[in-house]
């Protein structure tokens, strides 16, 4: 159980928090950027669509490790000296945007076109249709695959160790190199990854349940008081008295 003792050490707790922040920041930027790129793919101006397609083609077609090393080594040559953590956030976010764009586009296409037509007949603008009709329904379709991407981002963040980010992976490598206890160090890192994965999964499931319209409607129906039926009294025939 040496890995449990290492897992609660200050080094691994600090590395776990940094991994958490790296994952959340990269995923948040990836979601926002993915929505923007997905919307660009739906515009009528062809050059913007080509730009969005080219972005997705490039970042999905090259390894994230290559992108990470490129950002870390090439940006300083262009006069941008950034910290390893910032370089990792930029590289992971740029890569995630390409995948989230396709997920968001699939969610937008999953909304019935008839609802857009009905919204136009009610006088809503295109921005209003997107804000009040399309996005709320698309979110329920986007959330499950986004949760999978979130878990994937947590594990992909381990690549940040190659650019000296003090995350869980780099901490485990340095600890094992210092005391040659590979089982204990890697096991401690695995414990933290499993804990973070469990927390993310639980939070996403709660969010999915909150956005489940059918479940909320059923819950409201069960809370509504059941009206009492009127008590019918038997009519008495006066002649029968």
């Amino acid at each position: 159980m040496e890995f449990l003792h290492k897992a609660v050490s200050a080094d691994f707790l600090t590395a776990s928090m940094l991994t958490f922040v790296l994952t959340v920041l990269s995923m948040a930027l990836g979601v926002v950027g993915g929505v923007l790129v997905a919307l660009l793919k739906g515009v009528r101006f062809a050059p913007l669509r080509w730009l969005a397609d080219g972005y997705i083609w490039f970042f999905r077609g090259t390894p994230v490790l290559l992108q990470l090393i490129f950002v870390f080594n090439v940006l300083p040559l262009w006069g941008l000296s950034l910290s390893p953590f910032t370089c990792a956030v930029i590289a992971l976010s740029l890569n995630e945007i390409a995948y989230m764009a396709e997920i968001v586009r699939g969610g937008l296409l999953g909304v019935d076109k008839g609802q857009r037509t009905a919204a136009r007949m009610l006088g809503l603008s295109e921005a209003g249709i997107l804000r009040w009709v399309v996005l709320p329904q698309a979110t329920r379709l986007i959330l499950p695959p986004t949760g999978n991407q979130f878990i994937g981002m947590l594990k992909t963040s381990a690549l940040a160790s190659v650019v000296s980010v003090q995350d869980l992976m780099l901490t485990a490598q340095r600890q094992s190199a210092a005391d040659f206890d590979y089982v204990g160090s890697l096991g401690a890192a695995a414990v933290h990854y499993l804990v973070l994965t469990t927390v993310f999964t639980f939070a996403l499931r709660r969010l999915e349940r909150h956005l489940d319209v059918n479940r909320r409607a059923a819950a409201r129906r069960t809370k509504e008081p059941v009206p009492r039926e009127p008590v019918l009294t038997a009519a008495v025939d006066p002649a029968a008295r």
Side-chain angles (χ1 to χ4, degrees):
M1 292 295 183
E2 181 64 25
F3 67 92
L4 292 179
H5 294 287
K6 285 191 174 184
V8 297
S9 65
D11 291 338
F12 274 98
L13 291 175
T14 302
S16 180
M17 181 57 64
L18 188 143
T19 299
F20 174 83
V21 174
L22 175 61
T23 301
V24 172
L25 282 178
S26 302
M27 195 65 199
L29 294 174
V31 170
V32 173
V35 172
L36 295 177
V37 174
L39 293 177
L40 284 180
K41 288 178 65 68
V43 299
R44 297 181 179 180
F45 189 53
L48 289 179
R49 293 201 308 271
W50 299 338
L51 179 64
D53 289 333
Y55 181 94
I56 295 172
W57 168 77
F58 177 81
F59 281 96
R60 291 180 66 185
T62 55
V64 62
L65 182 59
L66 182 149
Q67 299 162 18
L68 183 62
I69 296 175
F70 180 91
V71 170
F72 182 74
N73 291 313
V74 175
L75 288 187
L77 300 178
W78 295 345
L80 295 175
S81 298
L82 303 174
S83 66
F85 179 83
T86 304
C87 290
V89 171
I90 292 174
L92 294 177
S93 301
L94 292 175
N95 181 267
E96 189 61 32
I97 286 172
Y99 290 92
M100 283 304 306
E102 289 298 291
I103 292 174
V104 173
R105 186 175 71 91
L108 296 176
L109 294 176
V111 179
D112 195 310
K113 294 182 179 180
Q115 300 199 30
R116 302 189 187 206
T117 303
R120 291 190 187 97
M121 295 178 63
L122 292 174
L124 286 178
S125 63
E126 291 299 323
I129 294 172
L130 183 65
R131 167 65 180 83
W132 300 107
V133 178
V134 177
L135 284 180
Q137 299 182 68
T139 300
R140 294 192 293 271
L141 302 175
I142 294 169
L143 192 58
T146 301
N148 292 332
Q149 288 295 114
F150 213 120
I151 302 303
M153 174 62 72
L154 174 63
K155 293 179 287 187
T156 304
S157 67
L159 295 176
S161 61
V162 302
V163 295
S164 302
V165 176
Q166 297 286 341
D167 67 336
L168 282 169
M169 196 63 207
L170 185 60
T171 300
Q173 290 174 342
R174 289 183 174 179
Q175 288 278 348
S176 59
D179 56 13
F180 298 100
D181 182 15
Y182 292 95
V183 175
S185 298
L186 295 176
V191 168
H192 282 280
Y193 278 119
L194 289 172
V195 169
L196 291 175
T197 300
T198 303
V199 171
F200 288 151
T201 302
F202 178 77
L204 289 168
R205 285 180 179 176
R206 290 293 300 271
L207 184 57
E208 287 181 20
R209 293 181 63 186
H210 177 72
L211 296 176
D212 190 346
V213 177
N214 295 328
R215 180 179 175 277
R216 286 187 295 173
R220 284 196 298 267
R221 286 195 298 269
T222 57
K223 291 181 181 180
E224 292 178 356
V226 179
R228 294 184 177 180
E229 296 182 358
V231 179
L232 300 179
T233 57
V236 180
D237 187 359
R241 293 181 178 178

